Amino acid sequence: MGAGNKRRYILLFGAQGSGKGTQARLLQDYFDIPQVATGDLFRYNLKNQTELGKLAKSYMERGELVPDEVTNAMVRERLSQPDAQEGAILDGYPRNLAQAQALDEMLAEWGGEVTQAIYIEVSEEELLRRLTGRRVCRECQATYHVVFNPPKQEGVCDRCGGELYQRDDDKDEAAIRRRLEIYMKETLPVIEYYRQRGLLTTVNGEQSIGDVNREIVAAVLNSDEQ
Ligand code: AP5
Ligand code: MG
Ligand code: ZN
């Protein structure tokens, strides 16, 4: 959509509640490439009670990472789909160095590479406020917040009319803290990995959703020119 047809693999990093999903939705419309969110894919499988969903369930409930081989295979399958041939916005993947290496290998096989990595930075206090008020659409996974980003009609998705619900892992503060701990331990080294390759842009996530989006779009377009 007006943003050229360069093949892009954009990675979104940020702790739980930093707005990766919210921003990925906006970016997929802007750049006309799909959002690929591993958390959403696992929740979809959970809902449909697939083997993959059953396997992922216990890890997700504890706020732990699903094993890499399962996650990598799922991402490979998703990125092979026809709608992802021009690239994708990866939300929630890679989450550790093993996944980052698996992604590099996958993309190299297809003659592609990671083009941009964006780190959305938000304080812990703000993260907790956001997660407790989050609501998600059962049908299309769009994300809302009861105060910061409410739907037009309470409990109903603006995009598709689907029912909004609260994620199980958002109800349990212990699981939220565990996710944050794992994030610091496993994902910060991945962010560092992309920083060292000169691909990383850090964005202040404590602005309005629109302002965060403008900063990310500017960063992506800017790195195109380099
Ligand atoms: P996942 O679904 O990826 O959860 P997460 O990483 O914890 O991230 P969240 O989805 O909670 O946060 P977000 O950054 O998307 O925030 P959002 O946009 O919703 O993963 C869930 C689980 O799946 C993991 O724990 C793990 O078990 C498993 N998993 C997933 N990926 C895996 C992988 N690669 N390997 C292994 N296991 C994996 O925004 C949050 C709220 O804030 C919303 O209510 C929103 O409306 C609001 N908001 C957003 N932006 C703003 C703003 N600028 N101002 C005010 N409010 C805002
Ligand atoms: Mg998300
Ligand atoms: Zn919806």
Side-chain angles (χ1 to χ4, degrees), residues 65-107:
L65 293 185
V66 178
D68 289 342
E69 59 273 23
V70 177
T71 308
N72 292 336
M74 181 178 75
V75 170
R76 172 182 281 275
E77 207 274 325
R78 179 64 188 89
L79 291 180
S80 311
Q81 298 297 313
D83 68 329
Q85 295 310 302
E86 294 307 317
I89 297 145
L90 287 154
D91 157 9
Y93 181 92
R95 255 178 154 91
N96 59 31
L97 284 172
Q99 292 184 5
Q101 272 144 19
L103 177 64
D104 282 343
E105 283 165 19
M106 221 182 280
L107 296 184

Side-chain angles (χ1 to χ4, degrees), residues 2-224:
N5 54 5
K6 184 178 188 287
R7 190 168 170 210
R8 287 192 179 85
Y9 291 97
I10 304 172
L11 313 185
L12 293 184
F13 293 104
Q16 56 274 35
S18 57
K20 301 181 295 294
T22 302
Q23 294 299 326
R25 295 258 148 194
L26 298 172
L27 294 171
Q28 76 173 353
D29 294 339
Y30 190 90
F31 290 111
D32 205 18
I33 50 177
Q35 169 194 26
V36 172
T38 39
D40 290 353
L41 292 171
F42 286 132
R43 280 186 290 279
Y44 176 85
N45 278 282
L46 216 79
K47 181 181 143 196
N48 291 295
Q49 299 188 354
T50 66
E51 284 308 310
L52 179 65
K54 283 175 203 159
L55 201 153
K57 188 172 194 288
S58 61
Y59 295 96
M60 293 180 74
E61 278 171 354
R62 290 195 301 269
E64 285 170 14
L65 293 185
V66 178
D68 289 342
E69 59 273 23
V70 177
T71 308
N72 292 336
M74 181 178 75
V75 170
R76 172 182 281 275
E77 207 274 325
R78 179 64 188 89
L79 291 180
S80 311
Q81 298 297 313
D83 68 329
Q85 295 310 302
E86 294 307 317
I89 297 145
L90 287 154
D91 157 9
Y93 181 92
R95 255 178 154 91
N96 59 31
L97 284 172
Q99 292 184 5
Q101 272 144 19
L103 177 64
D104 282 343
E105 283 165 19
M106 221 182 280
L107 296 184
E109 235 178 82
W110 301 330
E113 60 184 355
V114 172
T115 48
Q116 288 96 14
I118 307 287
Y119 176 34
I120 308 174
E121 209 169 24
V122 175
S123 67
E124 183 170 351
E125 197 188 334
E126 172 70 10
L127 294 174
L128 284 168
R129 262 198 298 275
R130 289 188 188 178
L131 291 170
T132 47
R134 174 163 59 187
R135 299 293 182 272
V136 182
C137 175
R138 260 189 219 291
E139 302 307 322
C140 79
Q141 317 273 338
T143 311
Y144 299 86
H145 190 282
V146 290
V147 179
F148 306 139
N149 182 24
K152 292 195 181 74
Q153 192 188 335
E154 198 190 320
V156 181
C157 178
D158 290 348
R159 285 170 69 107
C160 78
E163 185 200 354
L164 303 185
Y165 78 107
Q166 185 172 30
R167 277 168 47 172
D168 283 339
D169 56 356
D170 286 346
K171 292 178 186 165
D172 179 354
E173 198 173 311
I176 293 179
R177 288 188 188 285
R178 176 126 186 83
R179 276 152 70 199
L180 194 64
E181 217 175 275
I182 293 176
Y183 177 78
M184 293 303 178
K185 188 165 145 267
E186 306 241 349
T187 312
L188 286 183
V190 184
I191 294 170
E192 214 34 61
Y193 174 74
Y194 292 105
R195 193 197 306 277
Q196 278 163 19
R197 284 167 56 179
L199 293 172
L200 190 78
T201 303
T202 300
V203 165
N204 172 13
E206 291 193 43
Q207 315 178 70
S208 73
I209 291 170
D211 284 344
V212 176
N213 181 54
R214 276 183 283 279
E215 267 199 40
I216 295 176
V217 168
V220 171
L221 295 178
N222 184 41
S223 68
D224 277 0

